[in-house]
Amino acid sequence: MENLSIRLLQEGDEGSLLAFEEENRAFFQEFSVQRPDDFYTLEGQRDMLKTRLEKSEEDQGYHFGIFLEGDELIGTIGLFRIERGPRQMAIIGYSLSQKHNGKGYATEAVRQLVRYGFDVLGLHRIEAGVMPKNGGSIRVLEKAGFEKEGISRKSVKINGAWEDHLILAVINED
């Protein structure tokens, strides 16, 4: 997809992030963790972005925006909980604007981030956890080369309830 790209989020992106989160608030709620009160404020987004930039500098996480035509933020994607040493792995997470679902953008963004994780960061394994009822996200991961590994029982608190997550992973065979 020529018009889709990912890039590391940076200072100055907080306004676009806030607009993205506000526009998709109800859509994301079913599959998202509970957000702090200030999450939907410019200051909250600025603080979160600052923390994420620090994590990138410390090689603990990399947070990207998913952009159309170079500047329209339509999603976020990142590698989290990076483990070095004998594991060389990370967890992938992403969200895509409701109005852009079903167009292949999430799959392409996942493919781009996996290449970054393997080629730039030298990771061996990238893992994802998805609620079993989130069929769309499972399809995205499978199309990007992830394979199902099993269920992590009641592993993430979503909307006040502990939810099972299907674990999928892709391995760097190079």
Side-chain angles (χ1 to χ4, degrees):
M1 293 186 169
E2 297 172 21
N3 58 353
L4 182 107
S5 63
I6 64 171
R7 74 160 167 78
L8 285 167
L9 291 167
Q10 56 200 4
E11 287 184 36
D13 286 329
E14 57 270 7
S16 296
L17 283 167
L18 179 59
F20 167 75
E21 292 292 349
E22 285 179 328
E23 180 181 321
N24 293 284
R25 186 175 190 166
F27 178 61
F28 292 155
Q29 188 171 1
E30 182 180 0
F31 300 109
S32 296
V33 297
Q34 191 168 3
R35 305 290 189 194
D37 292 339
D38 69 344
F39 183 80
Y40 296 99
T41 67
L42 194 58
E43 189 62 33
Q45 290 295 311
R46 188 176 293 120
D47 289 347
M48 183 181 64
L49 190 55
K50 181 180 178 201
T51 299
R52 289 179 170 179
L53 289 169
E54 290 169 359
K55 288 193 179 294
S56 292
E57 291 171 9
E58 297 165 357
D59 191 38
Q60 294 179 354
Y62 296 86
H63 308 272
F64 293 77
I66 304 170
F67 295 90
L68 269 184
E69 306 298 338
D71 63 351
E72 180 189 356
L73 180 69
I74 65 165
T76 60
I77 189 166
L79 294 170
F80 311 91
R81 291 185 19 208
I82 293 177
E83 293 183 41
R84 295 299 187 178
R87 295 210 29 156
Q88 294 297 323
M89 69 160 296
I91 307 293
I92 191 171
Y94 53 89
S95 57
L96 189 72
S97 173
Q98 183 175 17
K99 68 182 179 185
H100 290 96
N101 265 240
K103 300 176 183 176
Y105 296 141
T107 300
E108 178 58 25
V110 168
R111 286 179 179 140
Q112 288 183 27
L113 189 59
V114 166
R115 280 194 301 274
Y116 180 87
F118 289 166
D119 298 345
V120 177
L121 300 179
L123 297 174
H124 169 69
R125 173 185 172 87
I126 298 176
E127 188 176 291
V130 181
M131 291 171 64
K133 66 182 178 180
N134 190 344
S137 192
I138 293 167
R139 281 189 301 280
V140 162
L141 292 163
E142 288 180 326
K143 285 194 258 179
F146 284 70
E147 295 180 12
K148 294 176 182 174
E149 294 189 332
I151 296 288
S152 180
R153 295 186 59 242
K154 302 202 182 299
S155 60
V156 182
K157 199 171 198 177
I158 306 287
N159 293 317
W162 289 101
E163 297 284 349
D164 293 350
H165 276 66
L166 174 64
I167 303 302
L168 300 95
V170 62
I171 305 296
N172 184 356
E173 299 295 346
D174 293 337

